[in-house]
Amino acid sequence: MRVLRGIAPVAGLSFVHLVDDMYQGAVPALIPFLVAERQYTYAAATGITVAATFLSSVLQPLFGVLTDRRRLAFLVPSGVAIAGIGIGLSGLGPHYVFTWLAIALSGIGVAAFHPEASRAARVASHGSARGMSWFALGGNIGFALGPLLVTAVLTGGGLTATPLLAIPAVATGLVVALLQRRSRDAVAKKTTETGREDDWSSFRWLTGLVMCRSICFFGVNSLLALFLTKNLGFTESTGNAALTVLLATGAAGTLLGGGLADRYGRVRTVRLGYLLIVPGLLALLFAPNAVVACLAAALLGFALYIPFSVQVTLGQDYLPNRIGTASGVTLGLAVSVGGIVTPVFGLLADHAGLSTALAVLLVFPVAALAISTRLPDTKPQVLSTTAS
């Protein structure tokens, strides 16, 4: 399915994914500006994050169910545009409720975008894990660019400049909508994979595995810099550098995972990722210097991201007749668990130390490896479209 005419479909969708997820990454960067200009409490600031992440994650499966009933191609351009408009409005209202609702609107846009865009990426890549890895990479890059965009725009203009943040999203949404109208493939169709039944048992096991990855990722992402500065005496710049290394190698791990999955099998690739998390965490816990710590962060980045896009394609393969639902759960609901559970590790770090909190994270890759024994492997399927 060519959502973008005249551009390689997966590359085009990856770029739109980049723009959409840029607004997820923008939310944490907005919070310091809100606290500084409006004197929000930390509780209020946390509420802003919940408005964006939790609501988006919960709604994604619902949008997935809708797209399983009828292909809703318009959700791709409208979702990315709404994600940007919500962020653009967030700095204009003087009241907390207005800001909260604006951020929630952005979260709804993000939720609307992902299931239909994931379906489009699957069809465009003919079900390959490599194609989905490029789509996922766009989102990873966009999330990282969000804070840079917010800092560049708001440092000089303050919160009154937030409408400028919406420009990339609105422009992208308009272009995609226009290209859809000109494309014959913009006619409503339903993706089908004949002769296959949904495997709900395997999908439930996969959902548990995705949750393990999410908890481990958010835990490492939240504690890494703190551990290096507080426990190992590294400077703040070194701690942030290690975090940057983790995210940068994660992008490479996303692409590596897709290539390995198509060549050696998806479940094998998923297991490799979780297997490598264990030595990565152990190397971090016992790192004697900054070099070893950064190498450990690099290994963790590869390991945590190798299964990411592969798990999405597995979910779609297990539910071939409900691709939107599978995408909504694996990209949204299950992933949000890590963000919800992360405060528990913060409390554990407060009472038992950062080393203990990181050590406990070892439970999750081990649990994921155990869960993976219940997962059947799959091969890319030839997809077709029929009028709905």
Side-chain angles (χ1 to χ4, degrees):
M1 177 180 64
R2 286 183 175 270
V3 173
L4 300 177
R5 187 181 182 184
I7 304 175
V10 175
L13 286 164
S14 181
F15 175 77
V16 181
H17 195 192
L18 181 155
V19 176
D20 181 83
D21 280 17
M22 190 164 60
Y23 294 94
Q24 290 194 84
V27 174
L30 273 173
I31 290 177
F33 291 95
L34 291 168
V35 172
E37 292 193 28
R38 298 181 179 174
Q39 290 75 51
Y40 284 170
T41 64
Y42 292 132
T46 303
I48 295 294
T49 302
V50 171
T53 56
F54 181 74
L55 187 62
S56 170
S57 299
V58 169
L59 289 178
Q60 279 195 48
L62 299 180
F63 280 108
V65 171
L66 291 176
T67 61
D68 285 334
R69 294 179 178 177
R70 182 179 179 84
R71 207 204 110 194
L72 304 174
F74 71 89
L75 288 179
V76 175
S78 61
V80 69
I82 291 170
I85 290 170
I87 296 296
L89 293 172
S90 64
L92 300 183
H95 301 295
Y96 179 79
V97 172
F98 180 91
T99 299
W100 194 95
L101 290 174
I103 297 295
L105 177 66
S106 178
I108 292 172
V110 170
F113 168 83
H114 278 96
E116 184 60 31
S118 299
R119 181 198 304 277
R122 176 177 173 83
V123 176
S125 63
H126 303 290
S128 76
R130 184 188 297 273
M132 187 59 70
S133 71
W134 280 104
F135 175 74
L137 178 64
N140 295 342
I141 295 173
F143 196 92
L145 290 177
L148 299 178
L149 176 67
V150 169
T151 302
V153 172
L154 301 191
T155 297
L159 291 175
T160 57
T162 55
L164 297 176
L165 297 174
I167 293 175
V170 174
T172 300
L174 288 174
V175 170
V176 174
L178 288 172
L179 292 173
Q180 282 184 338
R181 289 190 63 182
R182 296 177 182 177
S183 172
R184 294 178 181 179
D185 292 331
V187 178
K189 296 179 181 179
K190 181 180 179 181
T191 303
T192 59
E193 298 181 52
T194 57
R196 301 183 64 219
E197 296 183 355
D198 294 326
D199 184 355
W200 283 101
S201 176
S202 296
F203 184 76
R204 283 190 287 269
W205 284 112
L206 176 67
T207 300
L209 185 138
V210 173
M211 290 180 179
C212 287
R213 187 261 176 196
S214 177
I215 292 170
C216 194
F217 170 75
F218 277 96
V220 170
N221 197 50
S222 300
L223 299 176
L224 175 62
L226 286 173
F227 174 76
L228 294 178
T229 56
K230 301 294 184 182
N231 281 38
L232 301 183
F234 296 165
T235 64
E236 292 183 358
S237 60
T238 303
N240 290 331
L243 186 57
T244 300
V245 168
L246 183 142
L247 297 175
T249 55
T254 299
L255 295 179
L256 177 65
L260 290 175
D262 284 342
R263 184 169 184 177
Y264 299 107
R266 303 187 181 188
V267 173
R268 285 183 179 179
T269 301
V270 166
R271 288 173 182 163
L272 174 64
Y274 289 110
L275 185 64
L276 291 176
I277 291 174
V278 175
L281 275 173
L282 290 174
L284 179 64
L285 283 167
F286 296 102
N289 53 55
V291 173
V292 175
C294 285
L295 289 174
L299 177 58
L300 280 171
F302 273 114
L304 286 165
Y305 276 92
I306 282 174
F308 181 61
S309 63
V310 182
Q311 291 170 162
V312 176
T313 60
L314 271 175
Q316 293 173 340
D317 286 347
Y318 292 152
L319 301 184
N321 304 300
R322 294 175 173 81
I323 292 175
T325 301
S327 302
V329 172
T330 54
L331 283 172
L333 186 62
V335 172
S336 70
V337 170
I340 296 171
V341 173
T342 296
V344 174
F345 289 95
L347 291 173
L348 180 62
D350 286 336
H351 290 86
L354 287 162
S355 295
T356 300
L358 278 172
V360 171
L361 288 174
L362 286 164
V363 171
F364 296 96
V366 174
L369 286 169
I371 291 173
S372 71
T373 63
R374 306 301 299 268
L375 300 179
D377 213 338
T378 64
K379 295 181 179 179
Q381 303 296 319
V382 178
L383 310 182
S384 61
T385 56
T386 59
S388 58

